[in-house]
Amino acid sequence: MAVYKRAYAGYSGDHTAAAGRFLVLTRYGWSDVFASRVFTAFYVLLALVPFVVGTLYIYISDSPTIQKMIDAQGFLAINRMFFLNWLQVQGWFSLLLAAWIGPSLISPDLTNGALPLFLSRPLSRVHYVLGKSLVLIVLISIISWIPALLLFGLQASIGEPGWAAKNLSLIPAIIASSLLWSAFLCALSLALSAWVRWRVVATGLTFAVFFVPAGFGAAMDAVLKTWVGNLLNFWWLMVVVWHYLFGVSDRLTLQLDGTPQRSAPFPAAVLTLCAATSFCFVLLNRRLRAKEVVRG
Amino acid sequence: MASTLQLENLTVDLGGRRILDGLSGTLDGRAIGLLGPNGSGKSTLINALLGFYRTAGGGARVLGCDIHRELVRLRSLVGYMPENDAFIARMTGVHFVRYMAELSGLPPKAALERAHEAFYYVGLGEARYRKLGEYSLGMKQLAKLAQALAHGPEMLILDEPTNGLDPPARQRMIHLIQEVRRTTGMRLLLSSHLLRDVEETCDEVLILKQGRIAGICDLESERRANRKFLELETAGEDTRFAGQLTALGCECAVLPGGRMKIVMPEKVEIREIYRIANRNAIQIRKLNYRRDSLEDIFLKAMHESRAPNAEQGGGAPPPTERAPQEAAHGGL
């Protein structure tokens, strides 16, 4: 099939491996999101600035000379709370990313009915969701657990001897908590964009899911004197998970003013987040059909 | 060579209703038309073959691939052009087709090359860098055809390819489909409710009615058979002429006003009739090939499927059985 001949010829060349074909979706997803210069600049800032700040922080904390110069001895300790706070900041940025990028991944395929074209290829719905999810999960990973591990490595290499061994449990905590958070954000934003289809509305809804039920839950807790309302506050649930995995759960039990704080227990937090993620994937599964069946 | 389409009691239920009811049959043609009124189950059949709908019973084979067990292989062998809009508005045409070709397994470089070629092939070469959202309806249809062709499938599945097209655009689409059929080794499965589209592009037809098979018709053999059916208007002594034609093996019916109806045996050429007419000083004033149009076949299938036996089995006698048609042409 040559352009100048305007004649059809079959394809007899090589084919790519079937197992990795869903990565085409991921590659096109990245090429699409980085086509925007605004997003590219924003993402570079998200990836670099916190990492550079963290690196400087570690460098300063491990340099007694500089600490003496700025009179901050003991204040800049690199401990579990440092990594927890750093990941929480990146957790918020991850939410921003999910709200911005998530809806643009699936809704364009649904808006003009392109989904049957995807699903008529040798590609299952699981592959489709996996390929689209990887776009967001990798973007979130690049600003969360990957730089966190690099910071851990930096501290291990320039910090006091034995620091790494003492804090080795941070590594699985960083990876597990970040993957749970990114899986939840990814499932939520993809499910919302699949159901709403309108990108702006899906972005708004992603934020709404975090703030509206949280407010309702807080009111419920205040009236009923319980922690059950916490389960509607996804951000707080993740904070609970982070504190437990990082081994600083005692920080959760007291508020800043010293009064006891009612908080969802760790198993309830993890289960709720996993259940919410699963529910989002169920919603996605219901929506991602090549053809919809109208009942009645 | 595997059959193009084999249906084995294929049944599909949607929304609690039976949409396809035990379809069975084998179609070996290179270009198969799915014909039927709106709501007869044409698109449902295509969607079931592509694995979009779960079957309630039975199965099917497309190019020898079982739609349940070999779906991935089947999907890599076909190119699908859906009925409705199917595009990503913000993508350029060539980018979109390349994307689809890569998903079908072509390496990026080959996919890009074939996307360009496919766009030129369907006649959209100059518009390939425009965003799909800016295309006219006819261009979108052609872009859908380009994405179905780009990865070099063995079979094209076209669902109402001329939907919403104005006459020139429809003609262009039909020419393209005819060209694909004529010049490539590709097989076609074309669904349409427009008889003319199917007649112009297909050589075998599966007629559906209310989710059942109303008829399977080999258009090619039908055309060949019908070419031997003649209507004549003559002037002169036609009894002897008719006798000599009968001696030649033809079946003749002499009607008032010098009109004759003749069914010629396969080996007899039409020039023989002129020769005999000349010998008998008969003027042939008018000679028509009277052949069933697809419309006749379709209407007959629709009519026959109302018979109780057809309603039960979905297997109305195929319109290639000629008895009713011949009766309609003068009882020969």
Side-chain angles (χ1 to χ4, degrees):
Chain A
M1 186 161 60
V3 165
Y4 71 94
K5 284 180 183 166
R6 206 192 154 272
Y8 182 85
Y11 177 72
S12 53
D14 294 333
H15 283 85
T16 52
R21 215 166 278 165
F22 67 93
L23 292 173
V24 172
L25 294 161
T26 311
R27 186 158 49 79
Y28 272 81
W30 285 331
S31 112
D32 196 29
V33 295
F34 285 113
S36 157
R37 287 181 193 167
V38 177
F39 175 78
T40 307
F42 174 70
Y43 187 71
V44 169
L45 285 178
L46 284 192
L48 284 184
V49 173
F51 181 68
V52 170
V53 169
T55 306
L56 285 174
Y57 196 96
I58 289 172
Y59 182 70
I60 292 169
S61 73
D62 289 325
S63 166
T65 321
I66 299 177
Q67 285 198 34
K68 212 176 265 180
M69 276 168 58
I70 60 172
D71 195 20
Q73 273 174 309
F75 178 69
L76 298 172
I78 301 299
N79 52 22
R80 287 166 182 266
M81 281 310 291
F82 165 79
F83 283 97
L84 188 144
N85 289 330
W86 193 89
L87 266 188
Q88 282 195 36
V89 172
Q90 294 305 83
W92 272 112
F93 289 145
S94 304
L95 171 59
L96 279 182
L97 266 187
W100 190 342
I101 296 306
S104 68
L105 293 176
I106 286 187
S107 58
D109 299 351
L110 294 173
T111 309
N112 293 301
L115 201 59
L117 298 185
F118 286 92
L119 299 182
S120 65
R121 317 269 153 191
L123 192 80
S124 67
R125 276 188 299 162
V126 174
H127 283 133
Y128 178 82
V129 173
L130 191 61
K132 294 285 183 180
S133 302
L134 268 183
V135 176
L136 200 51
I137 288 176
V138 171
L139 287 178
I140 291 176
S141 296
I142 288 172
I143 65 163
S144 58
W145 64 271
I146 292 173
L149 289 184
L150 290 175
L151 292 176
F152 183 91
L154 180 69
Q155 170 63 18
S157 60
I158 66 173
E160 60 191 47
W163 183 93
K166 207 171 76 183
N167 294 288
L168 207 58
S169 63
L170 274 178
I171 293 178
I174 288 170
I175 295 173
S177 60
S178 299
L179 288 183
L180 177 64
W181 185 231
S182 52
F184 171 66
L185 289 177
C186 182
L188 178 72
S189 60
L190 292 186
L192 287 177
S193 68
W195 274 84
V196 178
R197 296 191 183 191
W198 196 13
R199 191 179 162 181
V200 181
V201 178
T203 301
L205 269 182
T206 307
F207 285 116
V209 165
F210 279 88
F211 297 114
V212 176
F216 180 73
M220 198 164 98
D221 282 352
V223 173
L224 300 175
K225 309 287 183 204
T226 176
W227 55 263
V228 179
N230 275 192
L231 298 179
L232 297 174
N233 185 340
F234 296 114
W235 172 254
W236 180 254
L237 293 178
M238 198 57 219
V239 169
V240 171
V241 171
W242 268 317
H243 277 76
Y244 273 86
L245 287 180
F246 280 71
V248 289
S249 54
D250 51 320
R251 302 283 183 111
L252 278 174
T253 52
L254 291 178
Q255 289 180 0
L256 289 176
D257 59 4
T259 54
Q261 176 163 276
R262 284 183 301 271
S263 175
F266 173 68
V270 171
L271 282 177
T272 308
L273 282 172
C274 289
T277 307
S278 307
F279 180 68
C280 289
F281 280 121
V282 170
L283 286 181
L284 256 182
N285 182 48
R286 286 179 66 92
R287 204 62 178 175
L288 294 180
R289 305 274 171 174
K291 299 284 172 185
E292 285 179 45
V293 178
V294 180
R295 294 185 177 274
Chain B
M1 196 164 65
S3 295
T4 308
L5 181 60
Q6 259 180 292
L7 302 170
E8 296 149 2
N9 199 29
L10 183 70
T11 304
V12 174
D13 291 345
L14 297 176
R17 287 180 56 213
R18 183 138 293 184
I19 307 297
L20 295 181
D21 192 1
L23 307 187
S24 293
T26 301
L27 294 104
D28 295 316
R30 271 198 50 213
I32 296 169
L34 290 181
L35 206 53
N38 291 329
S40 58
K42 304 183 297 289
S43 295
T44 305
L45 175 57
I46 286 179
N47 291 329
L49 295 178
L50 287 168
F52 294 164
Y53 291 149
R54 203 172 286 169
T55 56
R61 287 177 174 275
V62 180
L63 300 174
C65 297
D66 187 287
I67 62 164
H68 295 126
R69 287 189 291 274
E70 299 166 282
L71 190 58
V72 174
R73 185 163 163 260
L74 164 63
R75 285 176 175 177
S76 65
L77 294 179
V78 303
Y80 172 52
M81 177 184 174
E83 177 183 3
N84 300 318
D85 268 355
F87 60 91
I88 299 174
R90 62 182 181 210
M91 273 193 181
T92 62
V94 74
H95 191 59
F96 178 67
V97 173
R98 178 194 185 185
Y99 188 14
M100 293 298 133
E102 280 193 56
L103 285 173
S104 291
L106 269 63
K109 200 177 159 193
L112 179 61
E113 200 176 309
R114 297 220 20 126
H116 282 286
E117 291 168 357
F119 258 85
Y120 272 98
Y121 184 68
V122 300
L124 282 183
E126 301 305 318
R128 65 195 191 279
Y129 288 114
R130 276 171 57 188
K131 288 189 174 166
L132 285 163
E134 298 166 4
Y135 279 20
S136 67
L137 182 61
M139 291 164 83
K140 280 175 190 157
Q141 291 288 81
L142 291 171
K144 278 196 289 183
L145 181 61
Q147 65 79 30
L149 284 168
H151 57 286
E154 288 185 20
M155 181 174 177
L156 264 187
I157 298 181
L158 310 172
D159 196 354
E160 306 275 4
T162 57
N163 229 7
L165 298 182
D166 59 20
R170 179 196 161 273
Q171 206 52 45
R172 201 165 148 205
M173 178 65 79
I174 293 294
H175 280 155
L176 261 173
I177 296 170
Q178 286 171 333
E179 196 178 319
V180 167
R181 179 185 157 205
R182 203 176 52 245
T183 62
T184 70
M186 219 183 292
R187 292 194 244 187
L188 291 175
L189 178 63
L190 181 142
S191 151
S192 180
H193 60 277
L194 300 174
L195 298 167
R196 214 172 135 202
D197 289 359
V198 174
E199 189 162 32
E200 288 177 15
T201 54
C202 297
D203 49 34
E204 197 166 8
V205 180
L206 173 68
I207 302 172
L208 291 174
K209 187 191 173 191
Q210 292 172 349
R212 291 174 179 173
I213 293 181
I216 294 176
C217 167
D218 184 344
L219 279 180
E220 271 307 306
S221 60
E222 193 79 3
R223 281 168 193 147
R224 275 198 302 274
N226 283 320
R227 203 168 288 143
K228 301 292 184 181
F229 194 102
L230 301 179
E231 282 181 337
L232 266 69
E233 273 185 33
T234 58
E237 175 52 53
D238 53 10
T239 317
R240 208 155 54 121
F241 175 54
Q244 288 189 12
L245 287 177
T246 307
L248 197 66
C250 298
E251 293 177 58
C252 296
V254 181
L255 305 170
R259 290 190 298 122
M260 297 178 79
K261 291 193 174 185
I262 302 171
V263 178
M264 292 164 62
E266 285 224 353
K267 287 176 187 170
V268 174
E269 295 287 327
I270 203 154
R271 68 170 73 94
E272 287 294 320
I273 291 177
Y274 282 108
R275 214 168 277 150
I276 294 170
N278 186 37
R279 274 206 303 268
N280 292 286
I282 295 280
Q283 289 177 16
I284 295 179
R285 294 186 168 173
K286 193 172 170 186
L287 185 149
N288 275 339
Y289 287 107
R290 174 72 175 87
R291 72 183 187 92
D292 269 3
S293 67
L294 183 57
E295 189 177 349
D296 294 331
I297 296 166
F298 178 72
L299 291 174
K300 203 183 306 162
M302 290 288 115
H303 177 72
E304 283 170 2
S305 70
R306 283 195 207 116
N309 61 337
E311 289 292 327
Q312 281 163 16
T320 43
E321 294 173 13
R322 296 185 44 81
Q325 152 198 342
E326 284 169 0
H329 294 154
L332 286 168

